[in-house]
PDB file of all heavy atoms in Angstrom:
ATOM      1  N   ALA X  51       8.397   2.933 -24.701  1.00  0.00           N
ATOM      2  CA  ALA X  51       7.176   3.750 -24.902  1.00  0.00           C
ATOM      3  C   ALA X  51       6.400   3.695 -23.579  1.00  0.00           C
ATOM      4  O   ALA X  51       6.583   2.748 -22.786  1.00  0.00           O
ATOM      5  CB  ALA X  51       6.392   3.195 -26.063  1.00  0.00           C
ATOM      6  N   GLY X  52       5.565   4.647 -23.389  1.00  0.00           N
ATOM      7  CA  GLY X  52       4.780   4.625 -22.119  1.00  0.00           C
ATOM      8  C   GLY X  52       3.498   5.423 -22.298  1.00  0.00           C
ATOM      9  O   GLY X  52       3.402   6.288 -23.165  1.00  0.00           O
ATOM     10  N   VAL X  53       2.565   5.107 -21.451  1.00  0.00           N
ATOM     11  CA  VAL X  53       1.328   5.922 -21.335  1.00  0.00           C
ATOM     12  C   VAL X  53       1.146   6.224 -19.846  1.00  0.00           C
ATOM     13  O   VAL X  53       1.384   5.362 -19.003  1.00  0.00           O
ATOM     14  CB  VAL X  53       0.095   5.281 -21.892  1.00  0.00           C
ATOM     15  CG1 VAL X  53       0.137   5.275 -23.441  1.00  0.00           C
ATOM     16  CG2 VAL X  53      -0.037   3.842 -21.448  1.00  0.00           C
ATOM     17  N   LEU X  54       0.809   7.449 -19.554  1.00  0.00           N
ATOM     18  CA  LEU X  54       0.848   7.953 -18.175  1.00  0.00           C
ATOM     19  C   LEU X  54      -0.506   8.555 -17.807  1.00  0.00           C
ATOM     20  O   LEU X  54      -1.264   8.975 -18.673  1.00  0.00           O
ATOM     21  CB  LEU X  54       1.964   8.994 -18.002  1.00  0.00           C
ATOM     22  CG  LEU X  54       3.374   8.532 -18.423  1.00  0.00           C
ATOM     23  CD1 LEU X  54       4.287   9.754 -18.565  1.00  0.00           C
ATOM     24  CD2 LEU X  54       3.931   7.569 -17.402  1.00  0.00           C
ATOM     25  N   THR X  55      -0.743   8.687 -16.500  1.00  0.00           N
ATOM     26  CA  THR X  55      -1.944   9.266 -16.065  1.00  0.00           C
ATOM     27  C   THR X  55      -2.151  10.687 -16.628  1.00  0.00           C
ATOM     28  O   THR X  55      -1.140  11.454 -16.777  1.00  0.00           O
ATOM     29  CB  THR X  55      -1.970   9.339 -14.509  1.00  0.00           C
ATOM     30  OG1 THR X  55      -3.232   9.881 -14.085  1.00  0.00           O
ATOM     31  CG2 THR X  55      -0.878  10.216 -13.929  1.00  0.00           C
ATOM     32  N   ARG X  56      -3.363  11.088 -16.850  1.00  0.00           N
ATOM     33  CA  ARG X  56      -3.662  12.455 -17.199  1.00  0.00           C
ATOM     34  C   ARG X  56      -4.202  13.239 -16.043  1.00  0.00           C
ATOM     35  O   ARG X  56      -4.749  14.338 -16.211  1.00  0.00           O
ATOM     36  CB  ARG X  56      -4.664  12.463 -18.370  1.00  0.00           C
ATOM     37  CG  ARG X  56      -4.069  11.908 -19.669  1.00  0.00           C
ATOM     38  CD  ARG X  56      -4.937  12.199 -20.889  1.00  0.00           C
ATOM     39  NE  ARG X  56      -6.182  11.419 -20.808  1.00  0.00           N
ATOM     40  CZ  ARG X  56      -7.009  11.254 -21.904  1.00  0.00           C
ATOM     41  NH1 ARG X  56      -6.704  11.776 -23.057  1.00  0.00           N
ATOM     42  NH2 ARG X  56      -8.115  10.545 -21.774  1.00  0.00           N
ATOM     43  N   SER X  57      -4.039  12.688 -14.876  1.00  0.00           N
ATOM     44  CA  SER X  57      -4.418  13.405 -13.645  1.00  0.00           C
ATOM     45  C   SER X  57      -3.782  14.746 -13.639  1.00  0.00           C
ATOM     46  O   SER X  57      -2.570  14.909 -13.893  1.00  0.00           O
ATOM     47  CB  SER X  57      -4.025  12.588 -12.428  1.00  0.00           C
ATOM     48  OG  SER X  57      -4.125  13.367 -11.273  1.00  0.00           O
ATOM     49  N   GLN X  58      -4.511  15.772 -13.186  1.00  0.00           N
ATOM     50  CA  GLN X  58      -3.967  17.102 -13.063  1.00  0.00           C
ATOM     51  C   GLN X  58      -3.142  17.294 -11.762  1.00  0.00           C
ATOM     52  O   GLN X  58      -2.573  18.335 -11.530  1.00  0.00           O
ATOM     53  CB  GLN X  58      -5.102  18.168 -13.089  1.00  0.00           C
ATOM     54  CG  GLN X  58      -5.856  18.179 -14.408  1.00  0.00           C
ATOM     55  CD  GLN X  58      -4.982  18.494 -15.577  1.00  0.00           C
ATOM     56  OE1 GLN X  58      -4.321  19.512 -15.634  1.00  0.00           O
ATOM     57  NE2 GLN X  58      -4.888  17.552 -16.532  1.00  0.00           N
ATOM     58  N   THR X  59      -3.100  16.232 -10.969  1.00  0.00           N
ATOM     59  CA  THR X  59      -2.240  16.238  -9.765  1.00  0.00           C
ATOM     60  C   THR X  59      -1.251  15.114  -9.845  1.00  0.00           C
ATOM     61  O   THR X  59      -0.987  14.415  -8.858  1.00  0.00           O
ATOM     62  CB  THR X  59      -3.079  16.119  -8.472  1.00  0.00           C
ATOM     63  OG1 THR X  59      -3.928  14.972  -8.555  1.00  0.00           O
ATOM     64  CG2 THR X  59      -3.944  17.391  -8.293  1.00  0.00           C
ATOM     65  N   ALA X  60      -0.673  14.883 -11.027  1.00  0.00           N
ATOM     66  CA  ALA X  60       0.271  13.778 -11.270  1.00  0.00           C
ATOM     67  C   ALA X  60       1.522  13.903 -10.368  1.00  0.00           C
ATOM     68  O   ALA X  60       1.923  14.993  -9.996  1.00  0.00           O
ATOM     69  CB  ALA X  60       0.733  13.751 -12.730  1.00  0.00           C
ATOM     70  N   SER X  61       2.093  12.778 -10.081  1.00  0.00           N
ATOM     71  CA  SER X  61       3.259  12.724  -9.195  1.00  0.00           C
ATOM     72  C   SER X  61       4.526  13.217  -9.883  1.00  0.00           C
ATOM     73  O   SER X  61       4.611  13.360 -11.086  1.00  0.00           O
ATOM     74  CB  SER X  61       3.513  11.292  -8.729  1.00  0.00           C
ATOM     75  OG  SER X  61       3.897  10.486  -9.859  1.00  0.00           O
ATOM     76  N   ALA X  62       5.558  13.492  -9.060  1.00  0.00           N
ATOM     77  CA  ALA X  62       6.861  13.941  -9.592  1.00  0.00           C
ATOM     78  C   ALA X  62       7.442  12.872 -10.504  1.00  0.00           C
ATOM     79  O   ALA X  62       8.010  13.239 -11.553  1.00  0.00           O
ATOM     80  CB  ALA X  62       7.803  14.271  -8.449  1.00  0.00           C
ATOM     81  N   PRO X  63       7.437  11.563 -10.163  1.00  0.00           N
ATOM     82  CA  PRO X  63       7.949  10.580 -11.098  1.00  0.00           C
ATOM     83  C   PRO X  63       7.252  10.561 -12.446  1.00  0.00           C
ATOM     84  O   PRO X  63       7.866  10.402 -13.500  1.00  0.00           O
ATOM     85  CB  PRO X  63       7.706   9.281 -10.339  1.00  0.00           C
ATOM     86  CG  PRO X  63       7.745   9.647  -8.910  1.00  0.00           C
ATOM     87  CD  PRO X  63       7.083  10.983  -8.822  1.00  0.00           C
TER      88      PRO X  63
END
Side-chain angles (χ1 to χ4, degrees):
V53 286
L54 305 164
T55 183
R56 291 192 292 195
S57 168
Q58 297 302 300
T59 53
S61 68

